[in-house]
Amino acid sequence: MGDFFYKPRDGWLADVIPFHEDGEFKLLYLKDWRDKEKYGEGTPWFLLGTKDFVGYTEYGEVLPRGGEDEQDLYIYTGCILKADGRYHIFYTGNNFHFPSQDKKQQAVMHAVSDDMLHWTKIPEDAFYAREDLYEVHDWRDPFVFWNEEAGEYWMLLAARLKEGPANRRGCVALCASKDLKSWETREPFWAPYLYTTHECPDLFRIGDWWYLVYSTFSDRTVTHYRMSRSLQGPWTAPADDAFDTRAFYAAKTWSDGQRRYAFGWSPTREGEHDYGTWQWGGELIVHEIVQREDGTLSVKVPKTVGAAFATEVPFEWSGVLGEWSLKDGNATASAADSFACATAGTLPDVCKITAKMSFGSNTRACGFVLKTDESLDRGYQLRFEPGRSRVVLDVWPRKGDIPFVVGMERPIELKPDVVCEVEVYVDGTVCEVYANGQIALSARLYDWKEGGWGVFVSEGQASFATELFER
């Protein structure tokens, strides 16, 4: 593990419920110890504070889990809002033991606070799925906002329709309230018959556009978004409807009044292995959300995160394969029908690589090698593929007939002789890649703990103006 992207020392961070006040982001999050014998069953909410996504204040547990015979043994995702001077949390009470007892597994629950640190649960405000419309055991992740147009509070929920194809019943349910206590269940807010479930729904507006954010695990395990000029829809998909890869999940958003951020987590993998099963929870990852001129969204690294890596680390290039022109941080190679690689020494455990990368026409691929050995027989490859308009993460040697790590692919427009600005952040096993202030690619690097780094070009020409930084 590294020490930059936040995780609790004795456990893992899962879904984040963000809020901003008095210059500080208050991040409520689900904590998982993954040790039932030592810590007991269930997930509480903890509170984390940050002003820059670099330094964090740990406020500790603020919403304790219930007992095994209570609805909120597992306190799952929800939301926070402030109304009439009080803070309100709406959260999912989940108990896996209840269905066998003929009880409903999930309910929406309510708690209030005057300081965000001490919360009073209001059990009598709990309510369940309307059985004529929805499946009873999927009723979670409430998101509440004041609907100015309707003059009432609206609550969006991850739910499943009672009828329809079993794997396409996922929908965003809708409830409404005047007082944040009694809720009327209405027809679904969005029921597209696309997914099994729309987890962690989130809604915000920038200018003339509304954005609906949600996460799925049926077609792709990613955080998606849809856009509309009206709350009534239609909710249309942009060409790239995801914020990141499989290694960034359950993102919810919040604004500090100037910029909006997406708060998700990078899942760990079972056995700390590159091909291990993805697990629930991991480290906190924050992206800044940017609205393009056409209304679509892109993500980039928060300025404070980039600025935290301010110590430049000197390095020297060494040509490994092919003919290179190497001077200072610049490396250029022409390998029209071959593979060329230059390395730059050992990759620090926590660091940032920045590069202005350009390539010639008909170049098949170029990019970076990470944690590689001197013979290039093992390590990772961050590969930009102009012909496919994408960037992928590859691990070498591969396991079977897999051209790159499943789920580690992001679309990006790549033009010959046009500079592509790349930032690569490495923190132990966490790897965060940003390109052109447009896309993010999150990944895990498990099997190779250490090694060198460098640049490469495959069947083409490429140049790199590169710098290496530590904190």
Side-chain angles (χ1 to χ4, degrees), residues 72 127 173 271 344 417:
D72 59 353
F127 69 99
D417 302 316

Side-chain angles (χ1 to χ4, degrees), residues 19-20 42 60 78 112-113 146 151 184 198 207 213 289 319 335 410 439:
F19 187 76
H20 187 272
V112 295
S113 173
W146 174 254
E184 175 193 357
H198 307 62
V213 177
I289 295 174
R410 294 289 290 132
I439 64 104

Side-chain angles (χ1 to χ4, degrees), residues 220 222 244-247 269 274-275 278 364-365 368 379-385 388-411 441-445 456:
R220 291 181 296 155
V222 296
D244 203 328
T245 65
R246 172 64 182 89
R269 304 195 77 157
D274 283 337
Y275 296 98
W278 292 104
R364 289 183 62 82
F368 305 84
Y380 303 92
Q381 190 181 92
L382 182 65
R383 190 169 64 244
F384 290 81
E385 301 177 344
R388 293 184 171 93
S389 297
R390 70 181 184 182
V391 55
V392 302
L393 182 82
D394 201 357
V395 58
W396 194 262
R398 295 172 179 156
K399 181 180 179 181
D401 186 21
I402 302 174
F404 57 90
V405 180
V406 175
M408 299 298 104
E409 175 184 15
R410 294 289 290 132
L441 184 154
S442 296
R444 285 280 182 175
L445 313 178
F456 76 90

Side-chain angles (χ1 to χ4, degrees), residues 294-344:
D294 63 359
T296 60
L297 301 177
S298 63
V299 296
K300 65 181 183 179
V301 64
K303 288 183 178 180
T304 50
V305 172
F309 293 81
T311 302
E312 188 169 358
V313 180
F315 63 88
E316 291 186 9
W317 292 113
S318 176
V320 180
L321 289 174
E323 297 295 327
W324 287 86
S325 173
L326 305 171
K327 184 178 181 181
D328 299 326
N330 300 311
T332 301
S334 179
D337 60 354
S338 61
F339 179 86
C341 182
T343 57

Side-chain angles (χ1 to χ4, degrees), residues 110-243:
H110 185 200
V112 295
S113 173
D114 293 320
D115 61 6
M116 288 192 68
L117 297 176
H118 306 89
W119 293 87
T120 301
K121 297 180 181 180
I122 311 176
E124 61 269 25
D125 285 357
F127 69 99
Y128 301 84
R130 207 174 91 186
E131 296 186 38
D132 62 322
L133 278 178
Y134 302 108
E135 292 187 1
V136 296
H137 298 305
D138 280 282
W139 190 247
R140 62 181 180 276
D141 306 345
F143 174 80
V144 177
F145 69 102
W146 174 254
N147 185 334
E148 190 71 37
E149 297 174 11
E152 58 190 3
Y153 290 100
W154 276 17
M155 176 186 290
L156 307 183
L157 288 149
R160 282 174 50 81
L161 298 171
K162 192 171 184 178
E163 298 180 353
N167 292 322
R168 294 181 177 272
R169 293 182 191 171
C171 68
V172 178
L174 174 63
C175 300
S177 174
K178 296 287 188 181
D179 58 7
L180 295 176
K181 290 188 68 67
S182 58
W183 292 88
E184 175 193 357
T185 302
R186 297 179 178 172
E187 293 295 316
F189 182 80
W190 189 49
Y193 296 102
L194 289 170
Y195 311 101
T196 297
T197 311
H198 307 62
E199 294 195 299
C200 301
D202 185 85
L203 185 78
F204 61 90
R205 186 175 187 173
I206 300 178
D208 295 332
W209 288 99
W210 286 96
Y211 299 94
L212 176 64
V213 177
Y214 59 96
S215 296
T216 65
F217 53 79
S218 50
D219 69 327
R220 291 181 296 155
T221 305
V222 296
T223 297
H224 303 266
Y225 80 93
R226 294 293 186 268
M227 50 196 295
S228 176
R229 293 189 183 275
S230 166
L231 285 174
Q232 284 67 49
W235 294 97
T236 57
D240 175 18
D241 76 330
F243 287 139

